[in-house]
Amino acid sequence: MSVFCEVPQAAPVAVFKLTQDFNNDQDPNKVNLGVGAYRTDEGRPWVLPVVKKVEKVIVHDDTLNHEYLPILGLPEFRSSASKIALGEDSPAIQQNRVGAVQCLGGTGALKMGAEFLRRFYNGNNNTKTPVYVSAPTWENHNAVFANAGFEDVRPYKYWDAEKRGLDLDGFLGDLQSCPEHSIFVLHACAHNPTGTDPTQEQWMQIAEIMMMRNLFVFFDSAYQGFASGCLDKDAWAVRYFVSMGFEMFCAQSFSKNFGLYNERVGNLTVVARDADNLKRIMSQMEKIVRTTWSNPPSQGARVVAITLNTPELFDEWKGNVKTMADRVLLMRAQLKAKLQALGTPGTWDHITEQIGMFSFTGLNSKQVEYMVKEKHVYLMASGRINMCGLTTKNIDYVAESIHETLTNVQ
């Protein structure tokens, strides 16, 4: 008998299971709107032209080798990643109170931040500190914080299903009523899965209450540049909170905006009160990294660092990012127009009011099931669709499928 015979079978990760089901489907009209990655209008992955260019530079650079990186990662990657989050002229950077940890993707950055907070925030090893994540949120948020040892991961109100937009009153109410020193995970832009972000004025209201109630800000920034096509616009909330004097973390992912999904390029930006606090924080981050992955891989970090630190490549990258953002915006406009032209039940303004890769359609679980089984259009059970899965070739079929579903299934 195996020593592992008592191990229970874990449920598959929903988004990967969806892709597997899609791949196994033989229907010629099948469409995958589940996967969280960019696709061209031909439905193919896109290696950014600037990435191809930089990879060639790396290959032909005889000064590079495969020695270990420092525990906290490639210094020029970490500093340039924090600069695009906080801004080139960020006072916090100039005051030497910003540090960074190169991580394995955005998930790794969340993991490092969560591990540190559990050990050192609100007392030592305080597993009781409430961690608030938006309702709904990316499902990994709950798991990462619970896995780091936090015992009280709670939802905060965010999505108003009735009006298909932000439930600002509910959100602010939860900020007012939660225990002091609670941790709040905020989506910097292009909220996943709803695509609904607060306005700048709403962010100001959120920041004011968080400051007043001594709440900890942990931004998750997975789509900078990808949401609006503008790096600065997508970083507005993060920079505003820094300007208000918050000590905070910001997990950054370069999977989407560089198309480096399998290189696992992430960064945890740490904004401390002062240089002395930062020094002690980073010393402990080093200890956590050492027992987690010891030190990070170099390839993806080099691609990002060279791009961000070379003016002409940086400009080219911004153009590549805008290409992706513009295609998503075009698909949003076309889907909304087609649904309205068909007279599909309900309102569809939210399709263009939302931003980023994902749209929260408002379809319920029965309607999603009909879409998958009858129309072979694969989307998450929550009704979330990846706008990049839409192309000029399949958008009519998808719109007609949504129309048929909403007409026949309540």
Side-chain angles (χ1 to χ4, degrees):
M1 182 186 283
S2 170
V3 293
F4 299 118
C5 63
E6 299 295 318
V7 177
Q9 179 69 41
V13 176
V15 69
F16 291 98
K17 172 71 165 59
L18 196 73
T19 299
Q20 193 179 351
D21 291 346
F22 169 81
N23 290 337
N24 294 337
D25 191 333
Q26 299 304 308
D27 192 276
N29 292 319
K30 68 178 181 177
V31 180
N32 187 0
L33 301 181
V35 67
Y38 180 78
R39 294 289 180 264
T40 64
D41 195 48
E42 288 72 46
R44 296 198 182 100
W46 192 44
V47 179
L48 273 59
V50 74
V51 167
K52 283 186 176 176
K53 195 179 282 187
V54 175
E55 285 176 331
K56 284 177 185 167
V57 169
I58 291 170
V59 165
H60 293 108
D61 186 344
D62 292 335
T63 67
L64 296 177
N65 54 47
H66 294 291
E67 291 292 297
Y68 290 121
L69 293 185
I71 290 173
L72 293 177
L74 193 68
E76 57 269 37
F77 163 76
R78 291 158 47 214
S79 59
S80 55
S82 293
K83 268 181 195 163
I84 68 159
L86 305 186
E88 189 76 39
D89 54 357
S90 169
I93 293 175
Q94 291 163 5
Q95 292 156 7
N96 295 317
R97 56 188 186 90
V98 174
V101 185
Q102 182 189 331
C103 298
L104 303 191
T107 305
L110 288 162
K111 171 73 172 167
M112 283 298 104
E115 290 286 346
F116 178 90
L117 291 172
R118 196 257 300 142
R119 285 168 173 78
F120 299 109
Y121 176 69
N122 199 21
N124 281 348
N125 200 31
N126 190 349
T127 60
K128 308 289 185 197
T129 303
V131 177
Y132 282 81
V133 298
S134 63
T137 194
W138 181 50
E139 75 282 350
N140 230 7
H141 280 154
N142 293 278
V144 166
F145 281 89
N147 191 257
F150 285 100
E151 296 170 21
D152 190 1
V153 182
R154 311 178 183 182
Y156 62 84
K157 294 180 190 71
Y158 193 86
W159 173 252
D160 185 331
E162 192 73 29
K163 68 176 189 188
R164 296 187 181 179
L166 180 67
D167 177 7
L168 182 66
D169 291 340
F171 188 173
L172 297 179
D174 285 345
L175 290 172
Q176 291 277 18
S177 64
C178 71
E180 277 206 343
H181 306 297
S182 294
I183 297 163
F184 272 74
V185 180
L186 305 175
H187 300 231
C189 65
H191 182 273
N192 177 6
T194 70
T196 296
D197 292 344
T199 63
Q200 291 185 4
E201 292 71 25
Q202 290 168 339
W203 275 123
M204 288 175 176
Q205 290 176 263
I206 292 161
E208 185 181 5
I209 298 173
M210 292 193 78
M211 179 63 79
M212 188 174 67
R213 307 251 11 266
N214 297 312
L215 305 176
F216 189 84
V217 179
F218 197 149
F219 272 109
D220 186 0
S221 178
Y223 302 95
Q224 189 181 352
F226 196 102
S228 68
C230 172
L231 289 171
D232 296 329
K233 188 176 177 185
D234 290 349
W236 188 90
V238 174
R239 294 175 188 180
Y240 179 73
F241 274 73
V242 174
S243 76
M244 291 291 289
F246 282 91
E247 290 184 273
M248 55 181 247
F249 290 173
C250 179
Q252 297 168 265
S253 167
F254 293 91
S255 295
K256 310 293 192 297
N257 56 15
F258 265 85
L260 292 169
Y261 302 96
N262 67 12
E263 293 288 356
R264 310 312 298 137
V265 191
N267 189 56
L268 178 66
T269 290
V270 175
V271 181
R273 175 70 62 230
D274 51 43
D276 176 60
N277 273 288
L278 180 69
K279 187 181 173 191
R280 286 181 286 105
I281 292 166
M282 299 315 289
S283 73
Q284 293 294 345
M285 287 288 188
E286 219 168 50
K287 298 277 189 203
I288 299 169
V289 171
R290 181 68 176 144
T291 58
T292 311
W293 53 67
S294 196
N295 47 52
S298 70
Q299 176 70 7
R302 285 200 203 285
V303 170
V304 173
I306 292 168
T307 304
L308 297 184
N309 288 306
T310 311
E312 61 270 25
L313 293 173
F314 184 52
D315 287 342
E316 185 177 344
W317 172 62
K318 286 193 284 189
N320 291 173
V321 172
K322 191 162 182 346
T323 296
M324 293 189 285
D326 286 350
R327 188 178 111 65
V328 172
L329 291 169
L330 179 66
M331 289 298 102
R332 285 187 181 281
Q334 288 189 5
L335 181 61
K336 173 184 160 182
K338 288 177 190 299
L339 289 170
Q340 288 176 335
L342 289 165
T344 306
T347 60
W348 297 100
D349 289 337
H350 62 284
I351 298 288
T352 50
E353 287 166 359
Q354 293 167 0
I355 196 166
M357 184 177 279
F358 301 114
S359 181
F360 222 42
T361 57
L363 271 66
N364 63 38
S365 55
K366 279 186 183 171
Q367 291 163 342
V368 169
E369 190 180 357
Y370 184 90
M371 287 277 285
V372 173
K373 288 188 173 167
E374 302 300 325
K375 306 309 294 180
H376 306 272
V377 176
Y378 289 78
L379 65 159
M380 298 296 284
S382 63
R384 185 196 86 172
I385 61 172
N386 178 1
M387 299 306 295
C388 307
L390 294 172
T391 69
T392 49
K393 297 179 191 69
N394 69 25
I395 195 164
D396 285 315
Y397 177 73
V398 170
E400 287 156 11
S401 298
I402 292 172
H403 178 79
E404 180 186 315
T405 301
L406 286 169
T407 305
N408 295 332
V409 183
Q410 298 313 307

